[in-house]
């Protein structure tokens, strides 16, 4: 029989439906209603059902709290509890959470298309740092996927100028993109152009990096990220740290301080970073725990609950719930169905041309940094008397030095993808689309993690400087962006050290201190080695004689058992003999003849003797 449950009006009000709006990768939106107990997995499944997406473990849903701190929606917790401070209706974004280590192993074209959309956003907002040659090729692949083959009758001479591909794109870069689009990519359909773009992008060092701005121990600005390979740190345009997941032993945080503990070259390594807020530090820690579990573990059953602090403090506890990378790849290989239809954004609706136009969701209007060269750059192209146009070339980007691992991964991906490209090629159709004048991008929703304006990465700049507004840590662009966030009125400690080390006197003092430290270290190591030698010889003596070793173990077991029995029997006897607790169970034991005989013949004389000895000792003590 089902019992009726009566609820108060305040509880019933919590069961009212809440409207959720989810913004997709192509800037379209879908909505649904949820209840109080609806968990985050429901929203993720709702979006995947909308796409007819099976390889959904790479994706997640992101939201922003009132303090502009971004979070990933946890699938096993109620949505209302996670967004308790957000205003109704809830607005979230569907994004790639875990970037595939090898995009060529993605089974379905639909999943590759969604990853392509995410990478296109990463390029546009400076998250994916590209050398000049790579930037031109990636831009040409995007143009080929959206425009199809170049047609001189339909495309004007400056048609690339209308594509918003990079935060700031120079005239030289646009010319290179047009050259590759006209000559190298002709005949490729949208699916093949997107595949080539994924193959080239995944070999870059910043592929899959969600940059978290921090300070290192010297006070210098650094960007932390987590990739399929491991934990990375960027300063300027260089990757200064790469700690593979197998070498990372623990991630933890305390307040605003984030710690990465690992092993490098057989030595313990502790990296310390400082964030702007405790919430940003906790988000950074949770992202690291999830990425480590996804890429490192072979099975989801190996994932353990992680604590942010040590054993004496409660701290934060978190466990990644979901499949790991190896399980996702295995599940993808078992997909047996007809490929779903891919509904690509129309030419005029592409993000390269038009941003969000849903003004009812725009909460924080901030102007985008122009993605085109400045007007002065085009105005400086003036014709001379002979009719020759002089164009001022921008400063080229200093290309990053790719790591050997990246080169190896790229060559393996190229070999493994040849069959996939051959399968795509026969079905490709030239997507020639009549040229339409694009719309000017507008300022986008302040909620979106990578759709706002800000200090964006310029393709000709040397520093890795993603848009401040798309960083997981909230940064106000009106206050100077990332630079203002980490600006310090005092001089950098590293710079001060460099200036001090230039003085010969200070150099001599430092050398003397180093010599003293080395001497102390040698003394300490010698003492430790002597002690370890004594212990080792004792252990060898015990282990060499099997009989002695067996005897010692037997005595140790006997002593342990005896101590356990005494710890149980002595308090029980004292409870029976000295306490006045009148419980039926104890009363029955006290009335037995055996207990009375023990009490009067043994215990009472023993107690009187002990008390007599104690009194005599006290009298001798006082007399002295």
């Amino acid at each position: 029989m089902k019992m009726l449950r009566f609820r108060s009006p305040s509880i019933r009000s919590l069961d009212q439906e809440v409207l959720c709006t989810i913004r997709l990768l192509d800037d379209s939106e879908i909505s649904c209603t949820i209840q109080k107990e609806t968990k985050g997995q429901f929203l993720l499944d709702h979006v995947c059902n909308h796409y007819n997406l099976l390889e959904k473990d790479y994706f997640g849903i992101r939201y922003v709290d009132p303090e502009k701190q971004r979070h990933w929606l946890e699938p096993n917790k109620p949505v209302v509890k996670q967004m308790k401070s957000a205003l109704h209706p809830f607005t979230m974004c569907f994004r790639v959470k875990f970037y595939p280590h090898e995009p060529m192993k993605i089974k379905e074209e639909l999943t590759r298309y969604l990853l392509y959309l995410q990478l296109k956003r990463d390029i546009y907002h400076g998250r994916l740092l590209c050398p000049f040659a790579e930037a031109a090729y990636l831009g040409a692949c995007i143009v080929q996927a959206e425009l199809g083959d170049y047609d001189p009758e339909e495309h004007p001479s400056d048609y690339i100028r209308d594509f918003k591909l990079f935060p700031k794109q120079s005239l030289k870069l646009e010319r290179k993109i047009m050259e590759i689009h006209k000559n190298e990519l002709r005949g490729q359909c949208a699916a093949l152009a997107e595949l080539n773009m994924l193959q080239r992008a995944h070999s870059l060092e910043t592929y899959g990096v969600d940059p978290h701005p921090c300070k290192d121990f010297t006070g210098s600005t650094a960007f932390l990220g987590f990739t399929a390979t491991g934990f990375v740190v960027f300063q300027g345009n260089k990757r200064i740290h790469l700690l593979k997941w197998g070498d990372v032993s623990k991630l933890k945080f305390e307040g605003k301080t984030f710690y990465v503990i690992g092993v490098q070259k057989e030595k313990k390594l502790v990296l310390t970073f400082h964030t702007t807020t405790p919430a940003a530090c906790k988000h950074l820690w949770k992202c690291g725990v999830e990425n480590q579990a996804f890429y490192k573990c072979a099975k989801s059953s190996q994932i353990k609950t992680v604590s942010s602090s040590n054993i004496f403090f409660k701290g934060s506890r978190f466990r990644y719930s979901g499949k790991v990378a190896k399980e996702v790849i295995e599940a993808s290989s078992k997909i047996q169905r007809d490929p779903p239809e891919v509904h690509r954004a129309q030419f005029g609706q592409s993000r390269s041309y038009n941003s969000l136009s849903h003004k009812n969701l725009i909460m924080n209007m901030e102007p985008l940094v122009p993605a085109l060269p400045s007007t002065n750059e085009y105005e400086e192209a003036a014709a001379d008397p002979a009719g020759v146009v002089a164009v001022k070339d921008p400063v080229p980007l200093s290309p990053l030095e790719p790591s050997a691992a990246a080169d190896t991964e790229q060559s393996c991906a190229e070999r493994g993808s040849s069959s996939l490209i051959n399968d795509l090629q026969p079905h490709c159709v030239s997507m020639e689309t009549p040229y339409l004048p694009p719309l000017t991008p507008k300022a986008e929703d302040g909620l979106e993690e990578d759709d706002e304006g800000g200090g964006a990465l310029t393709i000709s700049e040397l520093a890795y400087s993603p848009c401040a507004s798309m960083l997981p840590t909230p940064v106000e662009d009106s206050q100077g962006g990332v630079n203002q966030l980490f600006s310090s009125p005092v001089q950098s400690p590293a710079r001060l050290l460099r200036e001090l080390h230039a003085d010969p006197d200070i150099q001599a003092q430092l050398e003397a201190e180093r010599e003293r430290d080395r001497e102390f270290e040698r003394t300490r190591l010698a003492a430790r080695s002597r002690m370890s030698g004594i212990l080792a010889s004792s252990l060898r003596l015990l282990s060499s004689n099997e009989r002695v070793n067996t005897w010692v173990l037997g005595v140790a077991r006997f002593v342990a058992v005896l101590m356990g029995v005494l710890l149980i029997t002595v308090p029980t006897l004292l409870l029976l003999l000295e306490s006045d607790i009148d419980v039926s169970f104890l009363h029955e034991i006290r009335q037995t003849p055996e207990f009375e005989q023990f009490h009067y013949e043994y215990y009472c004389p023993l107690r009187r003797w002990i008390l007599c000895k104690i009194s005599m000792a006290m009298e001798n003590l006082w007399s002295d």
Side-chain angles (χ1 to χ4, degrees):
M1 181 177 177
K2 208 171 185 180
M3 297 182 62
L4 296 176
R5 300 178 68 182
F6 298 92
R7 301 183 179 182
S8 64
S10 60
I11 297 178
R12 286 199 303 269
S13 64
L14 294 176
D15 289 338
Q16 296 179 355
E17 294 182 342
V18 179
L19 178 64
C20 290
T21 301
I22 304 174
R23 187 169 306 148
L24 306 180
L25 285 162
D26 58 357
D27 292 331
S28 61
E29 295 177 355
I30 60 173
S31 299
C32 65
T33 55
I34 61 171
Q35 303 290 336
K36 173 196 169 191
E37 298 298 331
T38 302
K39 295 186 177 180
Q41 186 65 43
F42 171 81
L43 293 180
L44 184 60
D45 293 339
H46 180 72
V47 177
C48 294
N49 292 335
H50 169 79
Y51 275 123
N52 194 15
L53 177 66
L54 290 183
E55 297 172 295
K56 58 185 178 181
D57 298 278
Y58 297 114
F59 302 90
I61 293 179
R62 211 171 208 171
Y63 68 95
V64 181
D65 63 18
E67 285 74 31
K68 296 186 179 180
Q69 176 63 51
R70 296 174 176 87
H71 306 271
W72 287 106
L73 193 68
E74 295 187 34
N76 56 347
K77 291 185 178 180
V79 177
V80 175
K81 289 185 178 180
Q82 296 184 65
M83 304 189 67
K84 53 189 175 183
S85 301
L87 300 176
H88 294 186
F90 296 154
T91 306
M92 291 163 268
C93 302
F94 177 75
R95 295 291 177 260
V96 174
K97 186 176 183 180
F98 303 110
Y99 288 71
H101 184 42
E102 297 179 74
M104 314 312 298
K105 290 186 178 180
I106 296 176
K107 181 72 175 290
E108 296 193 323
E109 179 186 339
L110 172 63
T111 313
R112 291 194 295 271
Y113 173 66
L114 296 177
L115 178 60
Y116 157 80
L117 291 179
Q118 179 66 65
L119 290 175
K120 193 167 69 168
R121 305 177 80 93
D122 294 346
I123 293 173
Y124 181 76
H125 292 285
R127 192 197 302 244
L128 186 63
L129 185 65
C130 310
F132 182 84
E134 301 294 334
Y137 184 83
L138 295 178
C141 289
I142 295 174
V143 174
Q144 179 69 24
E146 300 196 6
L147 279 184
D149 290 342
Y150 170 74
D151 189 345
E153 296 182 358
E154 296 179 356
H155 303 145
S157 59
D158 59 348
Y159 69 100
I160 299 296
R161 179 180 178 181
D162 298 319
F163 271 86
K164 310 300 184 290
L165 301 174
F166 298 92
K168 295 177 183 178
Q169 58 193 46
S170 64
L171 199 58
K172 180 179 180 181
L173 178 62
E174 291 176 1
R175 292 199 191 103
K176 187 64 176 178
I177 292 174
M178 285 191 290
E179 178 185 343
I180 298 175
H181 177 227
K182 292 177 183 178
N183 303 324
E184 298 182 21
L185 304 181
R186 176 171 294 275
Q188 294 186 6
C189 65
L192 185 56
E194 293 162 4
L195 186 65
N196 289 330
M197 188 257 203
L198 299 183
Q199 186 176 358
R200 185 66 64 92
H202 99 282
S203 63
L204 300 175
E205 286 186 339
T206 50
Y207 168 77
V209 173
D210 187 12
H212 298 258
C214 298
K215 282 183 179 180
D216 61 10
F217 71 98
T218 65
S220 303
T221 303
F223 290 95
L224 314 186
F226 309 99
T227 66
T229 307
F231 169 75
V232 294
V233 182
F234 286 90
Q235 277 187 346
N237 71 332
K238 294 181 180 180
R239 187 180 67 189
I240 62 172
H241 280 295
L242 170 59
L243 200 59
K244 295 184 178 180
W245 288 125
D247 298 332
V248 177
S249 58
K250 186 174 179 62
L251 302 172
K252 71 173 190 174
F253 78 96
E254 294 177 3
K256 299 181 183 180
T257 307
F258 177 67
Y259 301 94
V260 180
I261 304 170
V263 179
Q264 197 170 50
K265 297 180 180 179
E266 300 181 354
K267 293 183 179 180
K268 185 177 179 180
L269 177 68
V270 180
L271 300 176
T272 306
F273 301 94
H274 305 281
T275 60
T276 54
T277 62
C281 196
K282 184 175 182 179
H283 174 65
L284 174 62
W285 172 71
K286 291 175 71 174
C287 289
V289 170
E290 288 185 317
N291 279 271
Q292 185 179 22
F294 182 80
Y295 293 114
K296 181 181 178 181
C297 295
K299 296 180 181 179
S300 55
S301 58
Q302 298 176 353
I303 301 174
K304 299 179 181 179
T305 301
V306 182
S307 176
S308 65
S309 188
N310 55 31
I311 192 172
F312 299 105
F313 299 93
K314 185 178 179 181
S316 297
R317 296 174 62 84
F318 180 70
R319 183 182 186 274
Y320 166 66
S321 58
K323 295 181 181 178
V324 299
K326 292 183 179 179
E327 293 177 336
V328 175
I329 294 174
E330 291 176 1
S332 298
S333 63
K334 297 177 182 178
I335 294 177
Q336 300 291 336
R337 68 167 180 175
D338 295 332
E341 185 179 358
V342 180
H343 299 281
R344 289 179 170 82
Q346 296 180 4
F347 175 75
Q349 297 176 348
S350 170
R351 175 174 180 79
S352 301
Y353 286 85
N354 186 18
S355 301
L356 273 178
S357 58
H358 303 281
K359 295 183 180 180
N360 58 326
L361 292 174
I362 296 180
M363 301 167 59
N364 183 18
M365 298 289 290
E366 296 180 359
L368 284 173
V369 174
L372 297 174
S374 63
T375 54
N376 296 333
E377 184 175 351
Y378 283 98
E379 291 172 358
E380 288 174 359
D384 58 3
V388 179
V389 178
V391 181
K392 179 181 178 181
D393 290 336
V395 180
L397 176 69
S398 176
L400 289 171
E401 295 180 2
S403 61
D407 295 337
T408 305
E409 292 170 1
Q410 182 177 0
S411 60
C412 294
E414 289 173 355
R415 290 194 298 270
S417 63
S418 58
S419 60
L420 182 58
I421 294 176
N422 293 332
D423 293 339
L424 285 173
Q425 188 66 39
H427 305 286
C428 292
V429 181
S430 177
M431 299 176 60
E432 297 182 0
T433 310
Y435 182 77
L436 299 175
L439 300 175
T440 304
K442 301 176 183 178
E444 299 185 359
D445 188 357
L447 175 71
E448 171 54 51
E449 76 276 7
D450 52 3
D451 287 349
E452 296 172 346
L457 172 70
T458 307
I459 197 63
S460 61
E461 291 176 351
L462 298 179
Y464 180 51
S465 175
C467 291
S469 54
M470 52 73 68
L471 296 173
T473 301
V475 180
E476 293 289 346
D477 292 328
S478 59
Q479 299 177 0
V482 180
N483 295 329
Q484 180 67 23
L485 176 69
F486 293 114
S487 63
S488 176
V490 298
Q491 204 171 16
S492 170
R495 185 175 178 181
L496 289 174
L497 285 174
R498 287 195 297 270
E499 293 178 357
L500 290 174
H501 287 182
D503 191 341
D505 296 334
I506 296 179
Q507 283 283 9
Q509 295 177 9
L510 290 174
E511 185 61 31
E513 291 179 0
R514 292 193 198 100
E515 185 61 31
R516 287 196 299 270
D517 292 340
R518 285 195 289 267
E519 184 64 28
F520 175 76
E521 186 68 19
R522 284 194 293 268
T523 306
R524 186 174 62 86
L525 290 175
R528 180 184 295 179
S529 62
R530 285 195 298 270
M531 184 61 67
S532 61
I534 294 171
L535 293 175
S537 61
S538 302
L539 290 174
R540 282 196 300 271
L541 180 62
L542 289 175
S543 59
S544 61
N545 194 332
E546 187 174 353
R547 291 184 177 179
V548 173
N549 196 17
T550 306
W551 182 81
V552 170
L553 290 176
V555 171
R557 291 195 193 97
F558 174 75
V559 171
V561 172
L562 181 62
M563 292 298 295
V565 172
L566 290 176
L567 287 175
I568 295 173
T569 55
V570 171
T572 306
L573 287 173
L574 291 176
L575 183 66
L576 288 169
L577 296 167
E578 296 293 339
S579 68
D580 296 330
I581 300 175
D582 191 11
V583 183
S584 60
F585 171 71
L586 299 178
H587 181 72
E588 291 177 358
I589 295 176
R590 293 190 184 107
Q591 296 299 322
T592 58
E594 294 82 0
F595 182 81
E596 290 182 352
Q597 181 182 4
F598 171 78
H599 183 267
Y600 292 110
E601 293 185 8
Y602 297 99
Y603 178 72
C604 289
L606 178 64
R607 185 177 63 174
R608 286 195 296 270
W609 181 79
I610 293 174
L611 292 175
C612 181
K613 292 295 182 182
I614 293 175
S615 61
M616 290 175 62
M618 294 296 294
E619 289 176 359
N620 294 333
L621 181 64
W622 284 109
S623 63
D624 292 341

